[in-house]
Amino acid sequence: QKEVEQDPGPLSVPEGAIVSLNCTYSNSAFQYFMWYRQYSRKGPELLMYTYSSGNKEDGRFTAQVDKSSKYISLFIRDSQPSDSATYLCAMSLEVAGKSTFGDGTTLTVKP
Amino acid sequence: GAVVSQHPSWVICKSGTSVKIECRSLDFQATTMFWYRQFPKQSLMLMATSNEGSKATYEQGVEKDKFLINHASLTLSTLTVTSAHPEDSSFYICSAGTNEQFFGPGTRLTVL
């Protein structure tokens, strides 16, 4: 069993839809939870960074962490075609430490 | 935000040759850098932790004699793929940071 499992997708939604991306994990020691966006042939770009349980909002993006369930989510409101990319969840034991990644979910937002 | 660069962005080499990839932190000092490998349609897999002034720490299953890491300064780590073979063809990405990890743009290696 992988340490981090991510809903595989791919996801295809119409412009303006709300998108939900999810990951589960098995290591309860993870403290830092990240969501990255990756375009084809590019390095990952950090979207959201959360410490421990709770919610964090940044514009159209909301990250949720439920440590009791070992479950994290990323919500994208009013999705845009420019949001089309692969989204990766990642987790680490310490701040800026080595990360364990999910396999990624490819999202396509259709105009 | 902090910037991490990689060079080259892509490289094609013949089987059996060695390839060096550089990772630089441009506006901050990094005592630790991480090297990841990403195969097509797969996620990033951590290969090793590069430590400034000391030996790198390799993940299980990664051959340290094949993937040589040198972290000679606080802004530069290099990954050398020695005697590269076609199965080493992949996207190599480094990261560095203090409060959060910043990823480089990646280096695409193709071994013929």
Side-chain angles (χ1 to χ4, degrees), chain A:
Chain A
Q1 183 186 3
K2 292 181 181 178
E3 223 172 351
V4 177
E5 300 273 3
Q6 184 168 356
D7 287 353
L11 274 179
S12 180
V13 301
E15 184 174 355
I18 296 175
V19 176
S20 172
L21 304 167
N22 308 292
C23 290
T24 59
Y25 61 96
S26 57
N27 187 350
S28 58
F30 284 135
Q31 294 287 345
Y32 299 88
F33 304 90
M34 291 75 69
W35 285 96
Y36 291 90
R37 178 171 59 195
Q38 186 178 29
Y39 294 108
S40 181
R41 298 175 178 267
K42 302 290 184 184
E45 169 196 6
L46 181 67
L47 282 176
M48 301 286 287
Y49 179 56
T50 308
Y51 170 69
S52 197
S53 285
N55 295 355
K56 187 174 184 179
E57 187 173 323
D58 183 2
R60 296 185 294 111
F61 298 89
T62 300
Q64 289 185 350
V65 175
D66 182 348
K67 290 194 69 180
S68 63
S69 301
K70 299 191 184 70
Y71 187 87
I72 71 170
S73 299
L74 177 71
F75 297 95
I76 307 174
R77 291 185 300 280
D78 188 25
S79 55
Q80 303 295 310
S82 57
D83 294 329
S84 299
T86 296
Y87 289 80
L88 300 158
C89 65
M91 306 169 192
S92 65
L93 301 177
E94 52 195 25
V95 62
K98 61 181 182 179
S99 299
T100 302
F101 281 81
D103 285 345
T105 302
T106 298
L107 170 67
T108 301
V109 181
K110 296 184 176 180

Side-chain angles (χ1 to χ4, degrees), chain A residues 36 38 41-44 46 49 88 95-99 101-103, chain B residues 34 36 38 43-44 46 59 91 97-101 103-105 108:
Chain A
Y36 291 90
Q38 186 178 29
R41 298 175 178 267
K42 302 290 184 184
L46 181 67
Y49 179 56
L88 300 158
V95 62
K98 61 181 182 179
S99 299
F101 281 81
D103 285 345
Chain B
F34 299 103
Y36 295 83
Q38 186 177 32
S43 191
L44 281 74
L46 180 67
E59 295 299 303
F91 193 48
T98 50
N99 295 320
E100 59 185 79
Q101 284 295 307
F103 284 80
R108 186 160 302 280

Side-chain angles (χ1 to χ4, degrees), chain B residues 19-69:
Chain B
V19 175
K20 180 186 285 188
I21 302 170
E22 293 183 349
C23 177
R24 293 182 186 274
S25 57
L26 297 185
D27 54 0
F28 66 99
Q29 294 182 330
T31 56
T32 301
M33 292 182 176
F34 299 103
W35 285 98
Y36 295 83
R37 180 169 52 183
Q38 186 177 32
F39 292 106
K41 299 189 184 300
Q42 295 186 25
S43 191
L44 281 74
M45 296 298 295
L46 180 67
M47 298 175 66
T49 302
S50 173
N51 304 299
E52 189 269 333
S54 65
K55 291 182 179 180
T57 305
Y58 291 82
E59 295 299 303
Q60 190 174 8
V62 178
E63 300 174 60
K64 63 180 181 180
D65 295 329
K66 180 169 183 62
F67 298 100
L68 300 179
I69 291 173

Side-chain angles (χ1 to χ4, degrees), chain B residues 55-111:
Chain B
K55 291 182 179 180
T57 305
Y58 291 82
E59 295 299 303
Q60 190 174 8
V62 178
E63 300 174 60
K64 63 180 181 180
D65 295 329
K66 180 169 183 62
F67 298 100
L68 300 179
I69 291 173
N70 186 352
H71 195 148
S73 79
L74 287 171
T75 58
L76 173 64
S77 174
T78 60
L79 169 69
T80 301
V81 183
T82 62
S83 186
H85 290 284
E87 58 265 29
D88 298 323
S89 298
S90 187
F91 193 48
Y92 291 86
I93 308 173
C94 69
S95 73
T98 50
N99 295 320
E100 59 185 79
Q101 284 295 307
F102 296 95
F103 284 80
T107 298
R108 186 160 302 280
L109 170 64
T110 302
V111 184

